[in-house]
């Protein structure tokens, strides 16, 4: 059996009881170590808690060396641990498909992830649209395909969850080109960098999917002992020191309920200013009034 086990967001004890029981009966235990990190637990602490050796699985092992992870999983139990929920990243669905193709049984044990814990900021989960990922820009690579998804969400009034990039065990372009197995230090995108990149792409696109005055919520270290939330505009949070990782951001949609707004006000320094920003943003993105087709024909 291959077990895909969600670890939750922060503590070693966030794993479910069923997940822990499965880990303890597995012959090998892998920890996926490139889409997220467990903020309040080290590898050594996990190994002591599980009573098992834990093998770190980087991107290369998961995406190119999955045969090693699946080795003998048809005759013994193997655990693949994922921070958050196992299906928070598409690469894990690929591992499941490979296992099933090899005739290996798969069991998934779910847990909390940023996709549902984001509700801690007070925004209602069913008012969220498409989630996007913000990657680190380089001088020559500034992808903006996510911009259209934000625009689609905003057109129908929905909030947008922005997942911020992390780089763990990544090679520089030069080292990759030369075949040198030298890895860059870990990097975690900050709220301010994310907001700066949002503003840069809006300035480039000029389609006003959002503006510098669009209200957003910064979510830092979600589910950890130092969880912090901060509400403001994109322009304001471009200068916000969000502290230690991990971070995510929510771009508010036009359909921000009064109860949602009241909850957000506890996370802003100037309540009146933030309320005004939300109301102005709602007005700015309000759809044009519907006009019956026959009236449009008469105008033509």
């Amino acid at each position: 059996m291959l077990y895909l086990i969600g670890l939750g967001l922060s503590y070693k004890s966030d794993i479910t009881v069923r997940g822990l029981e499965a880990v303890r009966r597995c012959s090998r235990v892998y920890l996926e170590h490139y889409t997220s990190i467990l903020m309040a637990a080290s590898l050594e602490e996990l190994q002591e808690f599980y009573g098992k050796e834990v093998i770190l699985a980087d991107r290369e092992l998961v995406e190119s060396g999955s045969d090693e992870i699946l080795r003998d999983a048809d005759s013994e139990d193997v655990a693949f641990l994922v921070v958050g929920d196992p299906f928070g990243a598409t690469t894990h669905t690929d591992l499941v498909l490979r296992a099933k193709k090899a005739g290996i049984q798969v069991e998934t044990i779910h847990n909390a992830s940023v996709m549902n814990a984001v509700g801690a900021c007070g925004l209602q989960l069913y008012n969220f649209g498409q989630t996007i990922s913000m990657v680190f820009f380089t001088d020559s690579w500034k992808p903006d395909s996510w911009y259209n998804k934000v625009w689609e969400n905003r057109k129908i009034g929905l909030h947008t969850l922005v997942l911020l990039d992390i780089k763990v065990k990544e090679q520089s372009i030069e080292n990759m080109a030369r075949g040198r197995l030298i890895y860059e230090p870990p990097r975690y995108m900050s709220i301010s960098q994310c907001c700066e990149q949002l503003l840069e792409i809006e300035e480039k696109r000029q389609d006003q999917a959002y503006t510098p005055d669009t209200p957003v919520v910064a979510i830092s270290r979600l589910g950890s002992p130092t969880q912090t939330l901060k509400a403001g505009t994109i322009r304001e949070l471009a200068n916000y020191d969000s502290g230690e990782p991990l971070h995510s951001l929510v771009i508010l949609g036009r359909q921000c309920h009064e109860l949602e707004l009241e909850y957000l006000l506890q996370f802003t320094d100037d309540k009146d200013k933030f309320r005004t920003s939300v109301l102005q943003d709602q007005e700015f993105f309000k759809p044009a009034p519907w006009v019956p087709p026959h009236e449009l024909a008469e105008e033509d």
Side-chain angles (χ1 to χ4, degrees):
M1 176 81 73
L2 172 68
Y3 288 96
L4 266 70
I5 303 172
L7 298 185
L9 294 168
S10 185
Y11 297 92
K12 64 185 180 184
S13 53
D14 282 347
I15 189 172
T16 64
V17 173
R18 188 160 69 95
L20 182 58
E21 291 173 344
V23 166
R24 288 178 173 169
R25 63 174 174 263
C26 285
S27 58
R28 293 195 315 280
V29 179
Y30 295 91
L31 172 61
E32 189 264 85
H33 192 61
Y34 63 93
T35 62
S36 190
I37 59 170
L38 206 59
M39 291 174 286
S42 66
L43 176 64
E44 292 73 22
E45 289 171 329
L46 290 180
Q47 292 182 138
E48 182 180 357
F49 186 64
Y50 300 153
K52 290 279 185 177
E53 177 189 4
V54 177
I55 304 165
L56 291 182
D58 58 19
R59 185 187 299 274
E60 183 179 355
L61 176 60
V62 177
E63 296 184 353
S64 303
S66 59
D67 288 347
E68 171 59 25
I69 296 174
L70 299 177
R71 175 174 51 85
D72 298 329
D74 57 342
S75 57
E76 57 189 54
D77 292 331
V78 175
F80 185 75
L81 311 181
V82 180
V83 175
D85 186 80
F87 291 116
T90 54
T91 185
H92 306 142
T93 60
D94 181 65
L95 183 63
V96 170
L97 291 173
R98 290 172 184 267
K100 291 187 174 181
K101 187 175 181 180
I104 297 168
Q105 294 186 64
V106 178
E107 183 172 334
T108 302
I109 302 176
H110 294 283
N111 210 319
S113 77
V114 65
M115 302 295 285
N116 63 335
V118 66
C121 72
L123 296 174
Q124 298 165 2
L125 293 179
Y126 47 74
N127 285 341
F128 278 77
Q130 302 170 89
T131 296
I132 67 167
S133 296
M134 180 66 70
V135 301
F136 284 107
F137 286 177
T138 68
D139 292 339
S140 58
W141 188 61
K142 299 181 179 182
D144 63 356
S145 57
W146 48 265
Y147 184 91
N148 293 334
K149 294 183 179 181
V150 177
W151 180 226
E152 289 168 4
N153 288 345
R154 299 275 283 164
K155 279 195 293 187
I156 56 176
L158 300 180
H159 311 310
T160 303
L161 173 60
V162 185
L163 303 178
L164 276 55
D165 200 7
I166 75 171
K167 297 289 188 186
V168 179
K169 201 178 178 183
E170 298 276 345
Q171 291 177 277
S172 67
I173 295 175
E174 180 183 355
N175 285 329
M176 192 179 300
R178 294 177 180 272
R180 296 186 298 211
L181 295 179
I182 300 174
Y183 300 99
E184 300 290 295
R187 288 193 296 153
Y188 306 92
M189 183 178 288
S190 66
I191 294 294
S192 59
Q193 184 168 3
C194 176
C195 289
E196 287 169 1
Q197 292 187 181
L198 283 169
L199 294 174
E200 182 177 352
I201 296 303
E202 177 53 48
E203 186 174 352
K204 170 189 169 185
R205 295 285 292 263
Q206 296 285 307
D207 289 328
Q208 294 189 310
Y210 48 86
T211 73
D213 295 318
T214 290
V216 291
V217 186
I219 303 171
S220 300
R221 300 169 296 281
L222 182 61
S224 81
T226 59
Q227 174 178 304
T228 304
L229 297 101
K230 184 72 172 181
T233 64
I234 297 177
R235 191 201 316 269
E236 290 168 345
L237 295 196
N239 297 306
Y240 170 57
D241 182 359
S242 51
E244 295 294 314
L246 297 169
H247 308 288
S248 53
L249 186 81
V250 180
I251 303 172
L252 265 65
R254 170 175 38 80
Q255 298 186 61
C256 183
H257 190 273
E258 181 64 26
L259 186 61
E260 292 178 295
L261 177 54
E262 286 300 318
Y263 200 91
L264 290 174
L265 291 177
Q266 65 184 306
F267 308 126
T268 187
D269 296 330
D270 190 331
K271 292 180 172 55
D272 290 337
K273 184 178 179 182
F274 186 74
R275 183 186 292 275
T276 299
S277 296
V278 170
L279 296 177
Q280 289 177 342
D281 187 73
Q282 289 176 339
E283 189 66 29
F284 184 84
F285 282 93
K286 184 181 294 183
W290 182 75
V291 178
H294 68 272
E295 291 188 15
L296 289 174
E298 289 175 3
E299 291 178 5
D300 293 342

